[in-house]
Amino acid sequence: MPDAGESEAEDGKRFPSDLSKSNAIKTTPDGFTYLDPAQFRAYFAAELPADETDFMARSQVLNFGANFKAKITQAAWRTKPSWMLVAASDRAINPELECWYAERVKSKKIEVAPGACHAVYVSQPKRVAALIEEAATSNSD
């Protein structure tokens, strides 16, 4: 949830993640990034079964590395309500950064998922869906 003029990479320096301090992020010659498949489970989906994370590691969608450094021009949270689920054991994004974002944007609800990894949408889908449904049916402006 960067603000206008900020980037994810800059904001991530406030509360570095375990992933950002590791050697697990790999870059292709043309600038796309992915997680080292051997380290994928540890940094992205530690609470999921190994066979599932092995598949996820092999089927990653590469991201253009410069995207993380792109400056936001307009932050949607300035005009729309925000809801946040913090994956308490997230090693890809520091949970302290997620909480900082939630506080800064005055999220309508902050839900902490103890033990949840970055792939909380896979590991705890009912909890994620419930929060999305609550946000979708709220009368918040």
Side-chain angles (χ1 to χ4, degrees):
M1 296 178 169
D3 201 354
E6 297 176 353
S7 72
E8 286 186 60
E10 287 173 355
D11 286 353
K13 291 176 185 175
R14 293 175 185 272
F15 303 97
S17 68
D18 292 343
L19 176 61
S20 70
K21 295 183 266 184
S22 77
N23 66 349
I25 300 171
K26 303 301 179 189
T27 305
T28 64
D30 55 352
F32 286 83
T33 62
Y34 64 98
L35 295 185
D36 175 3
Q39 299 180 70
F40 183 91
R41 184 169 190 242
Y43 289 105
F44 197 86
E47 68 181 313
L48 296 173
D51 61 336
E52 194 169 347
T53 58
D54 288 348
F55 174 78
M56 292 169 75
R58 290 189 313 273
S59 59
Q60 294 178 64
V61 175
L62 305 184
N63 190 7
F64 191 55
N67 289 346
F68 295 105
K69 296 178 182 174
K71 302 273 185 188
I72 301 299
T73 56
Q74 186 174 4
W77 57 263
R78 290 259 174 218
T79 58
K80 299 177 189 290
S82 167
W83 296 67
M84 175 69 86
L85 188 143
V86 176
S89 294
D90 194 335
R91 297 187 71 203
I93 300 174
N94 189 325
E96 291 180 61
L97 177 61
E98 294 175 347
C99 289
W100 180 79
Y101 276 144
E103 184 177 311
R104 173 169 84 159
V105 307
K106 297 176 179 57
S107 288
K108 300 294 181 190
K109 182 171 188 178
I110 302 169
E111 217 174 282
V112 176
C117 63
H118 191 71
V120 65
Y121 48 88
V122 178
S123 65
Q124 299 187 27
K126 289 182 182 177
R127 185 171 196 171
V128 172
L131 184 62
I132 292 169
E133 286 176 359
E134 187 178 331
T137 59
S138 78
N139 291 324
S140 299
D141 292 334

